[in-house]
Amino acid sequence: MKNLLKTANEKRAPLFDVTDAYRIVNGAADGFPGMTLDRFGDRFQVQFFGPEMLSRRRELVDAVASQFNPACIVVKERLSRAGKSLENAPMEIALGTREDAVGTVREGNARFHVDLLDTVNPGLFLDMRHVRLEVEDRFRAMTGGQFNAGAVQAGEPFNANDKRPAQSSADINGPRFLNLFSYTCSFSVHARLGGAAVATNADISGKILDKGRENYALNGLDLRPGEFFRGNALEYVRWACKKGLKFDGIVLDPPSFARFKGFNFNVREHLMPLVSECAQILNPRGFFMVSSNYSEFALDSFARDVLDAVKSVHEKARTAWKRRQDIDFVGSGSTKDSCLVATLVEV
């Protein structure tokens, strides 16, 4: 088992200079069916999506500990005894303490907070790393590399009672980014590091947006007017359209299903109409990335549908690329727990 782990880790060698947060094992493609192993700095997360490796759980934990010498190992069982997927999965600290499960990771020029015991998701989705890095590069190209973090010092803790005055609109002219279903705002951190003047985050969870503010502070980014919106993404897009707001880059990375104030969002029914509405607030020469982990979407048809939706507003829109998960997700698309379709459109 240690040799399999060593081989799997070596496959990810191209990522070592980029990040210390990546997937080491992606199920059967790495010789571990029904199981994944993720690294978040010196913290490791084992997830079981099937019964194949459960009987060797202790052996696996010991092998991870011996091979990587981690500060913490957290084990999550994502499958019920009846074989159903669990979003509120049982979590166990197999090595280390509760405090050891919390820390920071690096990704390119950015750093992010993670907590392996906060929920099923520790604060950073590893399979979108390549897109986050590209968002930063695209804003750097727009701004010629100019970057002003603002008043907060890198690594300074987020303080909800901070009374420093917000910058005026005159100080924040420049390219704008919109991050819908923003989660902990990692896309926006990269956008701001690349030079975006404003990176607006829309999410239904106030707790999650507070984690985004913490990530801003960790990266030396000040909080600018209009950057945090708690609410339905569709609600924000319609408000922005009414106000005449425009963005130079948009990321739309929704969950397959979501509920907010009686509205039930599902990607099969609501995603493409939302893409069309987002296109109305996208500036000419802007970019628009749309993605989904819904396992029933096929990459080619998904990319085609997104392009058609954007073309309903921007006739000359073109597909820049269509992709699956990053290189550490070996065998991406072969199982329901490792699937992603993503496409980027330029207008």
Side-chain angles (χ1 to χ4, degrees):
M1 192 174 284
K2 281 184 62 178
N3 287 336
L4 281 175
L5 290 173
K6 183 175 183 292
T7 299
N9 192 53
E10 289 172 349
K11 291 179 185 177
R12 280 73 178 175
L15 294 173
F16 294 173
D17 290 336
V18 178
T19 184
D20 59 359
Y22 56 91
R23 177 154 291 186
I24 298 174
V25 169
N26 196 43
D30 287 303
F32 294 85
M35 190 217 92
T36 63
L37 173 64
D38 297 323
R39 178 173 195 163
F40 294 91
D42 56 0
R43 296 152 192 85
F44 287 69
Q45 172 178 272
V46 178
Q47 297 188 91
F48 292 100
F49 291 91
E52 295 91 340
M53 299 290 297
L54 271 173
S55 64
R56 304 181 67 185
R57 173 176 172 152
R58 185 68 255 172
E59 180 186 358
L60 175 64
V61 169
D62 290 344
V64 172
S66 176
Q67 181 65 35
F68 300 107
N69 192 30
C72 180
I73 301 175
V74 171
V75 178
K76 301 176 182 180
E77 293 188 21
R78 301 288 298 273
L79 200 72
S80 72
R81 294 184 182 274
K84 294 184 178 181
S85 178
L86 294 175
E87 286 303 317
N88 297 312
M91 296 183 284
E92 176 195 354
I93 302 174
L95 177 71
T97 67
R98 175 67 183 88
E99 290 73 24
D100 294 330
V102 179
T104 62
V105 298
R106 64 177 176 86
E107 181 179 88
N109 297 311
R111 291 186 295 160
F112 297 107
H113 290 288
V114 294
D115 182 352
L116 273 61
L117 289 170
D118 183 45
T119 62
V120 165
N121 302 310
L124 188 67
F125 289 120
L126 301 179
D127 60 350
M128 295 297 283
R129 174 195 314 108
H130 55 316
V131 186
R132 289 191 291 267
L133 294 170
E134 180 173 338
V135 165
E136 180 176 335
D137 288 342
R138 283 178 173 269
F139 275 100
R140 184 167 290 110
M142 290 181 200
T143 60
Q146 297 181 7
F147 165 63
N148 177 19
V152 181
Q153 298 300 309
E156 182 179 342
F158 164 64
N159 179 2
N161 297 314
D162 193 345
K163 301 303 183 183
R164 284 176 293 193
Q167 291 182 305
S168 71
S169 58
D171 297 321
I172 55 175
N173 290 329
R176 293 173 176 260
F177 176 65
L178 176 59
N179 185 11
L180 298 168
F181 301 94
S182 64
Y183 190 45
T184 57
C185 309
S186 54
F187 276 108
S188 294
V189 167
H190 277 290
R192 286 284 306 275
L193 290 175
V198 173
T200 297
N201 304 278
D203 200 280
I204 62 174
S205 171
K207 175 185 174 183
I208 287 296
L209 288 175
D210 278 346
K211 291 181 181 296
R213 292 180 178 97
E214 292 172 0
N215 280 330
Y216 271 48
L218 181 65
N219 289 276
L221 302 171
D222 60 337
L223 308 181
R224 297 179 176 178
E227 287 198 307
F228 294 89
F229 174 83
R230 182 187 177 191
N232 186 310
L234 180 57
E235 180 183 16
Y236 179 83
V237 170
R238 289 177 177 173
W239 177 85
C241 188
K242 182 178 179 180
K243 294 293 183 179
L245 297 181
K246 297 285 185 177
F247 298 88
D248 301 282
I250 300 175
V251 161
L252 175 56
D253 181 30
S256 297
F257 305 95
R259 179 179 298 174
F260 182 71
K261 293 183 178 178
F263 175 71
N264 295 320
F265 175 91
N266 73 79
V267 289
R268 292 186 65 177
E269 180 181 354
H270 300 118
L271 180 56
M272 294 308 157
L274 180 54
V275 171
S276 296
E277 294 200 48
C278 288
Q280 297 179 40
I281 57 174
L282 181 64
N283 270 328
R285 296 181 296 280
F287 69 90
F288 188 3
M289 197 290 299
V290 186
S291 62
S292 175
N293 291 104
Y294 185 58
S295 60
E296 300 300 319
F297 283 146
L299 180 58
D300 288 343
S301 58
F302 179 82
R304 184 172 58 250
D305 290 346
V306 169
L307 180 60
D308 288 345
V310 177
K311 276 190 168 183
S312 68
V313 179
H314 300 274
E315 293 183 1
K316 295 183 179 180
R318 58 177 290 272
T319 299
W321 53 252
K322 51 186 178 181
R323 298 174 185 166
R324 296 194 184 276
Q325 291 164 306
D326 210 346
I327 61 171
D328 44 336
F329 287 73
V330 178
S332 175
S334 59
T335 61
K336 287 189 175 182
D337 50 88
S338 178
C339 57
L340 175 77
V341 289
T343 185
L344 189 141
V345 174
E346 297 173 335
V347 302

